[in-house]
Amino acid sequence: MRRRREEPGWLHGKPPPRWARIAPVVALVVLVLVQRLTRGEAEVGFFLAGVPPVAAFAYGAAGTAVFAAIVLALLSAPFAGSAHPRGADLATVAAIGLLSVVIAWVRKRRDAQLVSVRTVAEAAQLAVLPPVPDRVGPVRCAGLYRAAQRGTLVGGDLYDVRAGPYGVRALVGDVQGHGLAAVGTVAALLGAFREGVLDDPELAGVAARLDRRLLADAAGPMTPAGSARAGPGDRPGDRAGRDDRADPFFRGEPGAPQDRATGHPELFATALLLEFPPGLELVRIVSCGHPPALLLRSSTVSEVAVEPGPPLGLGLAGAELAVVAAVPLLPGDRLLAHTDGVTEARDTAGEFYPLAARVPGLAKDPEELVEAVWQDLVKFTDGGPRDDVALLVLSLPDSADGSR
């Protein structure tokens, strides 16, 4: 699964690029040659004092100290062609060299800390949203994720594909907000979805479970007794004889007041749930306010007709309200689910990205398709969208695969 734009390797703790290590050596040679060739007409010898600070960006403390010593030796040597520096001049250059050594030492320590923090962060984010395998049960999968916040692997979009006793189920969602602030909600929804795959016999029941999960998170921390944590003017004694179930805030009803210190107002998400029942050549889909999936059949592309339900987190996505659509699948059909970061991306003229119109001209293989859509989206927007982007292609294998 593709995650995000690749960053230079030296930002991941790898050795600095070769040009960064060669630069101070080249500077030394060029400055000495210029000084020798001009025979004192152009005094550039003291520019050598800038070599140790440059070396500090690519070398450690020991390497920077070597460059500082070489600079001092060249300034003191008559063959370098520079004017004989006085003691104060050499002391100034020595101080610059010493400061460069300290900077190199601090930089190396910070680099090691950043690499450690980044490694832990990547491990945590990959635990929240692990890569989608090439195949889950009989379903072929290909996914691509790009987080809007630079330097992160997970943002406000999510997807997952899991096999369970009721078939293979997939989730594509988009929570309120993006970046690291939305990762907690993403983790909660994915955890609820993975439980629903195993426990809920109906796909609508999985949607209801996700809705309850967001309602519980919006209500805030709960005490062991099951009551909301008391706020100002809400002492434990004031709750005697009071039925929390009569409180619209406790039930998570729309329009309930969300100004309590423990509540999170307007916590919601859109989601598309898909189910591939075992032994059937069809897919069941539930839409919770999410953009419709695209059905790629031969050279035609069409939106899957699903009556959209309300977004998750509003208390309206109950099992009795969710509309489940059954879509027959033919050999070679592919389903492309996506988030609104794709279709709401704009070009320089302000036009939205026409995903359905551009997909037919892109690759047909699922894994190549998601990468082709991303590259086309980057070209269309002249650099890439500013929102999180998630793409998920699902398909049953052709009869020729012999894996049904």
Side-chain angles (χ1 to χ4, degrees):
M1 179 188 67
R2 273 59 172 192
R3 287 288 189 172
R4 52 183 299 277
R5 302 173 184 86
E6 292 296 327
E7 292 181 346
W10 60 288
L11 295 180
H12 291 267
K14 297 180 181 178
R18 182 176 298 178
W19 62 264
R21 301 181 67 85
I22 294 176
V25 178
V26 173
L28 276 174
V29 174
V30 169
L31 289 173
V32 170
L33 286 178
V34 170
Q35 187 66 52
R36 290 279 294 174
L37 294 175
T38 57
R39 298 185 179 276
E41 296 179 3
E43 184 57 50
V44 297
F46 286 103
F47 283 103
L48 291 170
V51 172
V54 173
F57 285 100
Y59 292 84
T64 305
V66 170
F67 278 100
I70 293 174
V71 167
L72 287 173
L74 289 174
L75 288 176
S76 303
F79 66 84
S82 61
H84 295 289
R86 292 176 293 181
D89 298 327
L90 289 177
T92 301
V93 174
I96 294 174
L98 180 61
L99 181 60
S100 301
V101 171
V102 173
I103 292 174
W105 180 77
V106 172
R107 181 191 61 79
K108 290 286 287 186
R109 284 181 56 88
R110 291 299 299 272
D111 284 352
Q113 292 173 353
L114 288 174
V115 169
S116 177
V117 170
R118 184 181 180 89
T119 302
V120 173
E122 288 184 352
Q125 293 178 85
L126 288 174
V128 172
L129 193 66
V132 174
D134 295 336
R135 188 184 294 265
V136 177
V139 179
R140 295 181 61 195
C141 313
L144 180 142
Y145 196 106
R146 294 290 190 273
Q149 185 172 338
R150 190 170 182 83
T152 62
L153 302 180
V154 181
D157 290 356
L158 64 146
Y159 57 52
D160 199 7
V161 184
R162 298 278 166 164
Y166 310 105
V168 176
R169 287 171 172 172
L171 167 68
V172 178
D174 184 359
V175 307
Q176 176 202 17
H178 56 78
L180 293 177
V183 173
T185 306
V186 168
L189 285 176
L190 288 173
F193 169 73
R194 291 160 187 168
E195 292 178 357
V197 168
L198 300 176
D199 299 337
D200 295 315
E202 300 295 333
L203 190 61
V206 181
R209 180 187 291 265
L210 299 179
D211 188 58
R212 291 194 303 271
R213 175 70 269 167
L214 284 186
L215 285 175
D217 290 348
M222 307 297 288
T223 66
S227 59
R229 188 177 296 170
D234 192 14
R235 298 182 299 276
D238 296 336
R239 305 182 64 88
R242 175 171 154 190
D243 187 0
D244 276 333
R245 290 173 296 179
D247 186 350
F249 178 85
F250 182 84
R251 297 198 308 270
E253 292 181 357
Q258 296 285 331
D259 56 352
R260 297 186 184 180
T262 57
H264 301 280
E266 299 181 358
L267 181 60
F268 64 91
T270 65
L272 194 69
L273 293 160
L274 304 96
E275 178 184 82
F276 296 85
L280 300 178
E281 296 183 353
L282 60 85
V283 60
R284 297 190 182 110
I285 302 177
V286 171
S287 175
C288 299
H290 198 78
L294 298 180
L295 176 61
L296 285 64
R297 176 170 292 170
S298 185
S299 59
T300 63
V301 177
S302 60
E303 289 187 352
V304 178
V306 180
E307 183 178 343
L312 303 172
L314 303 181
L316 299 175
E320 67 281 359
L321 297 177
V323 177
V324 181
V327 180
L329 296 178
L330 300 178
D333 285 354
R334 293 164 294 160
L335 286 165
L336 173 59
H338 59 88
T339 56
D340 59 11
V342 178
T343 51
E344 293 183 1
R346 298 172 182 260
D347 62 8
T348 54
E351 298 293 330
F352 290 109
Y353 179 70
L355 177 62
R358 298 175 78 102
V359 162
L362 302 177
K364 293 185 177 181
D365 182 82
E367 185 172 352
E368 295 178 358
L369 177 60
V370 292
E371 184 64 32
V373 171
W374 170 251
Q375 295 298 334
D376 189 56
L377 185 60
V378 170
K379 185 183 300 183
F380 180 84
T381 57
D382 192 22
R386 298 183 180 180
D387 196 4
D388 299 321
V389 167
L391 294 165
L392 183 64
V393 177
L394 304 170
S395 64
L396 291 173
D398 296 339
S399 301
D401 293 344
S403 54
R404 288 190 188 179

